[in-house]
Amino acid sequence: VGMDKVALKAATSTPMAMIKGSDRTVSASAKVTIDGSDSYHPDFPGSSQPTLSYGWTCADTPSHGNSLLGGCFSQEGNAFGTGTAKILEIPANSLRPRGVIYKFTLNVSDSQGWSIADIIIRPTQENVPLVTIEIRDQKPKYPPNKKITFLSSAIPASGAGATSLTYQWTTVNGDVDLSRTQFLLSPNSR
């Protein structure tokens, strides 16, 4: 009886940088919070997570050269958009409302390596409601026919005068038609 040898080499993963939410349009006069606290190391389940390091950078487009100085600057010259905390706070009235798009990058690292995640912020002069959509059980991929639950919340824009908001769900790509009630948990889920 012959024997074969197989050499296996175990490799560790790098941390996963995660930013809550997605690209968004915000009121230029509002305080903006960008949350990277969902970042994790996939090799360490639950509460056994190692200490992760966080680094935020900001670049504006069209760039006015500010990115080369390590961040973005308000019209008054105040720096914002960099930091080493899980959550980045951008002070109210820091974003320029016309012709500028901001790209915030989160770099999460530990002794095993690093990864990055980006988010685009588009400021506007209008008051914009804060809308949050989350997936209850986040996974990188879902098998076909798996039920996925989305949770949403919305806070009306300050000074908007409206006290109620309406929701409408649509798919950007994929094969589920959300206008057909058989794909919804309840007919009122729209």
Side-chain angles (χ1 to χ4, degrees), residues 86-151:
K86 293 178 182 181
I87 298 173
L88 180 65
E89 299 282 343
I90 303 162
N93 298 307
S94 293
L95 302 173
R96 294 188 299 273
R98 289 195 179 109
V100 180
I101 297 172
Y102 297 91
K103 179 180 179 181
F104 294 90
T105 301
L106 170 62
N107 182 324
V108 176
S109 62
D110 70 358
S111 61
Q112 304 300 316
W114 56 272
S115 71
I116 62 172
D118 298 314
I119 189 168
I120 301 294
I121 303 292
R122 293 176 185 84
T124 180
Q125 287 183 305
E126 300 170 14
N127 288 323
V128 179
L130 176 62
V131 177
T132 304
I133 300 173
E134 296 180 26
I135 300 174
R136 183 174 290 169
D137 181 27
Q138 288 190 3
K139 295 180 178 156
K141 294 182 179 180
Y142 292 91
N145 301 322
K146 166 92 169 119
K147 181 177 89 171
I148 303 171
T149 303
F150 294 92
L151 306 172

Side-chain angles (χ1 to χ4, degrees), residues 49-81:
Q49 287 288 306
T51 300
L52 300 176
S53 298
Y54 298 82
W56 292 94
T57 58
C58 174
D60 58 358
T61 306
S63 180
H64 301 286
N66 298 339
S67 304
L68 299 175
L69 300 175
C72 294
F73 295 85
S74 67
Q75 292 178 11
E76 292 77 30
N78 299 319
F80 67 91

